[in-house]
Amino acid sequence: MPTPHRVVIAVFADVDVLDVTGPAEVFSLANGVIRGRAEYRVRLAGPVRGEVATSAGVRLLADLAFDEVGAAVDTLIVPGAVDMTPEGPIARIDDRVVAWVRDTAPHARRVASVCVGAHVLAAAGLLEGHTATTHWSTAAQLACEHPGVTVDPDPIFVRSGRVWTGAGISACLDLSLALVAEDHGEEAALSVARLLVMYLKRQGGQSQFSVPLSRPASTRRDSAELRRFIADHLEGDLSAAVLARRMCLSERHFARVFRKETGTSPAAYVEAARVEAARRLLESTDQSLQQIAATSGLGSLESLHRAFQRQLRATPAAYRRRFRTLT
């Protein structure tokens, strides 16, 4: 009988509940897929045994106190907690958690943080000299407080040696699936993703943001409707003249309004939306590059290549090799 894979997830006051339950659910579902191989045994560890109140008000139960965990940990997962302030979220650092992580991490086969748990890893000295990510809202805080860490706020997760860091909040599922893939192969991870009814299993280098999410929210109703129109008509004529007419504005006035609303020009926004559509097709279909160029509205193969170089500094073929999700 294979030796169980021991996963320990830290829990503490006001921890984000999904940061804890998301990975636990992935590993539980994985056990149903990998029958006959080393199963995951998940335990929650806190400063003391017993109830822990999460930020959502839901209570979790710590199976073990920190001093009962011992050294035999395969995967150590560290979630996070934030304090909401008028200036925005601030990652909270609990010295007891930091001290325990600092003592336990050297004995674990791998260590992973979820969302703002990266701040705990950094405080424990585990990210020094590494590249890491965290929730976009606290990335600046992480970079400021830990200049020895290369903070990349864009990817959904980053692996640097045996240390993994994940963005927030649903990205905990993507990171956990990547851990399953490392242990049991891509097919097992994809099977779990299907059980979770995830649209696709995203790879670590992908952005935390889609084009709409990466732009400011519209303050004008007609601008918000135009952005929806763009997303629904990528194959059509989305020239500035056409878009200006939809908003009943002159092209010059439209360009000023659009930049104020989105922070970019109409042409740049449309190209980014088309590249995002092309990325999804490269990840999840076997369409040819020419078909993808047409379907995404980029038109020609040459335009597809130019847009990818501008937006992603990669060729479409190289992107597909890296992020392909078909089996």
Side-chain angles (χ1 to χ4, degrees), residues 74-272:
D74 290 296
T75 299
L76 173 63
I77 296 181
V78 182
V82 296
D83 291 315
M84 298 304 298
T85 72
E87 291 73 35
I90 301 295
R92 181 188 303 178
I93 303 300
D94 185 318
D95 291 338
R96 295 172 300 173
V97 180
V98 172
W100 176 72
V101 169
R102 184 184 295 118
D103 291 341
T104 305
H107 307 290
R109 181 169 67 86
R110 64 188 175 195
V111 180
S113 65
V114 179
C115 198
V116 297
H119 294 258
V120 177
L121 296 192
L126 300 177
L127 299 184
E128 193 71 17
H130 290 271
T131 297
T133 193
T134 187
H135 193 279
W136 60 268
S137 65
T138 66
Q141 178 192 353
L142 183 62
C144 179
E145 294 177 352
H146 301 280
V149 180
T150 302
V151 180
D152 187 346
D154 194 47
I156 55 174
F157 64 83
V158 169
R159 180 183 184 178
S160 184
R162 69 184 189 93
V163 179
W164 303 62
T165 51
I169 294 176
S170 63
C172 69
L173 301 177
D174 301 284
L175 186 149
S176 301
L177 286 168
L179 297 178
V180 171
E182 182 184 48
D183 296 335
H184 299 288
E186 192 70 19
E187 180 57 39
L190 287 168
S191 296
V192 176
R194 286 191 288 268
L195 290 170
L196 288 165
V197 199
M198 292 176 67
Y199 174 63
L200 53 84
K201 188 181 80 66
R202 299 178 293 176
Q203 304 298 314
Q206 290 178 265
S207 174
Q208 294 187 38
F209 305 107
S210 65
V211 170
L213 286 177
S214 65
R215 307 296 180 187
S218 295
T219 59
R220 296 171 51 129
R221 182 177 177 178
D222 55 355
S223 177
E225 290 175 349
L226 184 71
R227 289 160 78 166
R228 288 193 290 271
F229 174 83
I230 290 171
D232 292 339
H233 297 84
L234 294 176
E235 297 176 68
D237 183 355
L238 296 178
S239 63
V242 169
L243 298 179
R245 282 197 297 273
R246 285 196 64 84
M247 288 185 68
C248 301
L249 300 173
S250 70
E251 285 190 49
R252 180 175 294 181
H253 189 198
F254 166 69
R256 288 197 297 268
V257 169
F258 194 89
R259 183 173 288 279
K260 181 179 179 181
E261 287 286 299
T262 67
T264 190
S265 70
Y269 184 94
V270 168
E271 180 178 88

Side-chain angles (χ1 to χ4, degrees), residues 20-33:
V20 178
T21 58
E25 182 67 14
V26 168
F27 294 129
S28 175
L29 291 174
N31 285 340
V33 171

Side-chain angles (χ1 to χ4, degrees), residues 231-312:
D232 292 339
H233 297 84
L234 294 176
E235 297 176 68
D237 183 355
L238 296 178
S239 63
V242 169
L243 298 179
R245 282 197 297 273
R246 285 196 64 84
M247 288 185 68
C248 301
L249 300 173
S250 70
E251 285 190 49
R252 180 175 294 181
H253 189 198
F254 166 69
R256 288 197 297 268
V257 169
F258 194 89
R259 183 173 288 279
K260 181 179 179 181
E261 287 286 299
T262 67
T264 190
S265 70
Y269 184 94
V270 168
E271 180 178 88
R274 284 170 166 162
V275 167
E276 181 176 337
R279 284 171 47 200
R280 300 299 180 224
L281 292 169
L282 288 166
E283 294 161 5
S284 59
T285 77
D286 58 2
Q287 289 185 19
S288 69
L289 296 185
Q290 187 62 63
Q291 288 175 309
I292 288 172
T295 303
S296 64
L298 288 166
S300 68
L301 191 58
E302 183 180 357
S303 295
L304 177 69
H305 275 269
R306 286 201 304 265
F308 261 65
Q309 287 291 350
R310 277 193 295 268
Q311 298 282 336
L312 304 174

